[in-house]
Amino acid sequence: MSGERQRVGSLSPYERTIGFSRAVRVGDRVVVSGTAPIWPDGDCDPDAEVQARRCLEIIFAALAEAGAGPGDVVRTRMFIVDRADAEAVGRAHGAAFSDARPAASMVVVAGLLDPRWRVEIEAEAVVA
């Protein structure tokens, strides 16, 4: 990756303490960090599908700020804490990416930073 680095921030309380950006664009590539299902007031809906949709809303906002959109996404990674949530998270992902159909992984993990989170999603885009 060569070119100027554009950083996109968000309201995540972890950005400063951990030292990361919501997204980074270098050249035509945009990489979006693991995104948790948090609303601006810090709330977190307990439903896995609602959480996945919220993660994707935050991802799409970061992509837009970096000059990309859902159609530019070429890879996603979904981390879930309960394999029983795979169908619900998959529905949200499928609805969001029905046209782009990026390469995707869904991985069951032991846990995420906040025990309320059932899913966290990452994305990578290449701007045409």
Side-chain angles (χ1 to χ4, degrees):
M1 291 194 301
S2 62
E4 187 174 321
R5 181 181 301 244
Q6 175 190 355
R7 291 182 183 86
V8 175
S10 70
L11 299 176
S12 170
Y14 299 108
E15 280 187 41
R16 292 256 181 231
T17 57
I18 294 175
F20 76 96
S21 298
R22 170 63 41 224
V24 176
R25 179 175 178 164
V26 178
D28 63 354
R29 187 166 180 203
V30 182
V31 181
V32 183
S33 295
T35 303
I38 302 173
W39 276 259
D41 66 358
D43 194 23
C44 181
D45 191 288
D47 181 86
E49 189 168 352
V50 173
Q51 286 192 17
R53 286 194 310 258
R54 178 61 183 151
C55 293
L56 293 165
E57 288 173 3
I58 296 167
I59 288 169
F60 292 165
L63 288 169
E65 192 169 333
D72 297 312
V73 174
V74 296
R75 176 115 172 88
T76 60
R77 292 176 189 87
M78 297 162 274
F79 302 95
I80 59 175
V81 296
D82 186 343
R83 74 181 66 253
D85 291 336
E87 187 176 330
V89 172
R91 269 194 310 271
H93 186 276
F97 293 111
S98 62
D99 292 331
R101 295 184 57 187
S105 298
M106 187 181 299
V107 181
V108 179
V109 296
L112 299 168
L113 282 178
D114 185 315
R116 299 175 301 167
W117 303 348
R118 302 177 68 88
V119 60
E120 187 171 318
I121 302 175
E122 299 176 350
E124 297 180 38
V126 176
V127 182

